[in-house]
Amino acid sequence: SGKFYQHATTEASQATLASVSPVFAVMKLDKEGNTTYFEKKKTELYQELGLQARDLRFQHLMSIATRNNRIIMRMEFLKAVITPEFLLILDYRNLNLEHWLFNELASQLAGEGQLVTYSLPFEFRAIEAILQYRISKLQGRLNTLQPQILETLEALVDPKLLSVDRSKLHILLQNGKSLSELETDLKVFKETILEILDEEELIEELCLSKWTDPQVFEESTSGIDHAEEMELLLENYYRQAEDLANEARELRVLIDDSESIIFINLDSHRNVMMRLNLQLTMGTFSLSLFGLIGVAFGMNLESSLEEDPRIFWLVTGIMFLGSGLIWRRLLSFLGRHLEPPLPPHVPAVLKKSQPAAGRVEIKSNLKAETFGLSRSTLTNQ
């Protein structure tokens, strides 16, 4: 009874695991470009492919690995398993992949596209098609960001603007984040390719047909080095990713430089406003200083001056004239202290004067020394 209970429990647990195991929507493409679609549980799929369950986890955003003469690739949303006879695309129902999967991939694998590996084994065409798709997506993201960033920076760097448009800054911030994500994706792509290029054994393992088809192995030993072809293929897409990374880096430098220019423009306008405020403050101080005369006459003190009608105009003229003179002196004092320092004085000897009739003029006090130096030079020669 105990053995029967254990057996029943084991069967129940296996049935439960089978019912909850994930199901992959699989798209299968063969060498001729024929396409079939089906759904299969993960347990059945890795058993048919001779893999382990951990091989189909796809835990990294980008990875290229080999297991049991199978190439397992992950390119963000794309999950693929490559064999010498066919290509499996797992979970292909994605809006970002439909156009490429249904309109381009089959023809590329059949040799009708523009892939340079059409004369090589099937895994070469599959790897190049996937790498080409990934590079084209990265290139498209860069082509979308570049004009937006340039247009935003052109609007922000305008020196005529006294203030910065916050909406433009918000757009620039979003584009900067998208550019950082693109730089990260390019870095991951390059590191993944570089890890394979640094290991000769990994490059050899990517050549599946070399080990499964004896005829291909004989052709490779007779002159066609598949490992070298695979290395050239990976280097080609590594260089393309490097070019994209350089363009993204130039955009990043341009953003940083533009931010400095924006800050300089804002500081310049701020300095102008501060200088204007200081000038108005000095004018107010000058008027207040000589306004004390009017305050003194405005007190209810009896004197003989208020009886003369000319005193009003005389006192008013003195007030305005004195205020103007004081304000002028303050402005000249401000100008002397805010003007940039003069460049250091360069002796006239070091300045080359304009040649007259093909000759250079030299001061008279240096003629004797120059003549002695020329004679000593001739003597040495």
Side-chain angles (χ1 to χ4, degrees):
S1 61
K3 292 181 180 180
F4 177 78
Y5 176 76
Q6 291 179 356
H7 181 69
T9 304
T10 303
E11 289 182 351
S13 62
Q14 289 179 354
T16 304
L17 289 176
S19 62
V20 300
S21 61
V23 177
F24 286 122
V26 183
M27 178 179 181
K28 181 178 180 181
L29 301 99
D30 58 11
K31 297 180 179 181
E32 288 75 24
N34 300 322
T35 307
T36 55
Y37 308 93
F38 56 89
E39 292 185 356
K40 184 161 292 190
K41 294 181 180 179
K42 181 178 179 180
T43 53
E44 299 175 356
L45 184 62
Y46 71 71
Q47 290 176 359
E48 290 182 3
L49 295 175
L51 301 174
Q52 299 293 329
R54 61 177 178 270
D55 297 331
L56 300 181
R57 286 178 187 167
F58 300 102
Q59 54 188 350
H60 301 289
L61 289 179
M62 179 175 176
S63 61
I64 303 176
T66 55
R67 296 285 189 278
N68 194 19
N69 206 31
R70 303 284 188 269
I71 300 175
I72 305 169
M73 298 185 66
R74 170 74 183 268
M75 296 287 172
E76 199 174 11
F77 299 108
L78 178 63
K79 306 172 185 177
V81 179
I82 303 173
T83 70
E85 295 81 18
F86 54 85
L87 166 66
L88 298 181
I89 304 295
L90 309 182
D91 292 338
Y92 65 91
R93 294 168 182 172
N94 190 293
L95 296 177
N96 297 325
L97 302 176
E98 285 184 353
H99 176 75
W100 174 68
L101 289 175
F102 297 111
N103 299 332
E104 300 178 10
L105 182 58
S107 60
Q108 289 177 344
L109 295 178
E112 300 174 2
Q114 299 178 353
L115 300 182
V116 297
T117 56
Y118 62 91
S119 60
L120 293 172
F122 175 76
E123 65 269 14
F124 283 79
R125 283 176 280 167
I127 292 176
E128 185 179 10
I130 294 175
L131 293 179
Q132 188 182 70
Y133 166 76
R134 181 58 176 165
I135 285 292
S136 64
K137 295 294 290 185
L138 296 174
Q139 180 71 57
R141 289 167 59 185
L142 181 61
N143 293 338
T144 303
L145 282 175
Q146 190 171 11
Q148 296 178 359
I149 292 176
L150 294 179
E151 182 181 358
T152 306
L153 292 179
E154 185 178 358
L156 290 174
V157 177
D158 189 359
K160 297 180 181 179
L161 297 177
L162 298 179
S163 61
V164 179
D165 190 356
R166 292 186 177 181
S167 61
K168 296 291 184 181
L169 287 178
H170 183 66
I171 294 174
L172 183 61
L173 179 61
Q174 291 180 342
N175 291 334
K177 291 181 179 179
S178 300
L179 184 62
S180 299
E181 294 175 358
L182 177 60
E183 290 177 337
T184 302
D185 293 341
L186 288 170
K187 181 180 178 182
V188 172
F189 184 90
K190 293 189 329 183
E191 289 177 351
T192 304
I193 299 296
L194 194 59
E195 288 178 0
I196 300 176
L197 291 175
D198 290 339
E199 297 291 337
E200 185 177 356
E201 295 180 356
L202 296 179
I203 298 177
E204 292 281 351
E205 291 176 357
L206 292 178
C207 304
L208 305 180
S209 300
K210 184 176 181 180
W211 310 109
T212 57
D213 191 350
Q215 183 179 359
V216 173
F217 181 76
E218 292 177 1
E219 291 178 356
S220 64
T221 56
S222 63
I224 303 176
D225 191 351
H226 286 174
E228 184 177 353
E229 294 291 339
M230 182 63 70
E231 184 177 0
L232 293 176
L233 172 65
L234 296 177
E235 284 182 354
N236 177 33
Y237 287 96
Y238 179 84
R239 286 195 300 269
Q240 294 185 31
E242 183 68 24
D243 294 338
L244 294 179
N246 292 334
E247 294 182 15
R249 195 177 301 112
E250 291 177 359
L251 275 180
R252 175 64 60 187
V253 173
L254 185 60
I255 291 176
D256 296 338
D257 295 341
S258 300
E259 289 179 353
S260 301
I261 295 175
I262 292 171
F263 291 145
I264 291 173
N265 289 336
L266 293 177
D267 290 340
S268 176
H269 294 305
R270 190 181 299 111
N271 292 337
V272 171
M273 299 303 296
M274 291 176 63
R275 184 165 184 167
L276 178 61
N277 186 23
L278 184 58
Q279 290 175 354
L280 294 177
T281 303
M282 290 188 299
T284 304
F285 170 75
S286 303
L287 289 174
S288 301
L289 182 63
F290 280 86
L292 294 176
I293 301 176
V295 172
F297 280 96
M299 292 186 294
N300 296 326
L301 299 176
E302 295 182 358
S303 63
S304 60
L305 298 176
E306 64 270 7
E307 297 178 358
D308 191 348
R310 295 173 298 179
I311 294 299
F312 172 77
W313 299 107
L314 179 61
V315 172
T316 303
I318 292 174
M319 289 172 55
F320 279 101
L321 181 61
S323 300
L325 291 176
I326 292 295
W327 191 30
R328 184 64 181 173
R329 293 296 301 272
L330 291 175
L331 290 179
S332 62
F333 174 80
L334 178 65
R336 288 196 305 270
H337 285 77
L338 292 182
E339 287 180 356
L342 296 175
H345 178 68
V346 180
V349 180
L350 301 179
K351 295 181 179 179
K352 293 183 179 180
S353 60
Q354 294 293 333
R359 296 176 299 175
V360 179
E361 298 178 357
I362 304 176
K363 286 190 175 182
S364 58
N365 57 350
L366 295 176
K367 286 184 178 179
E369 182 181 356
T370 308
F371 181 72
L373 290 174
S374 61
R375 288 188 60 186
S376 61
T377 305
L378 290 173
T379 304
N380 293 332
Q381 290 178 355

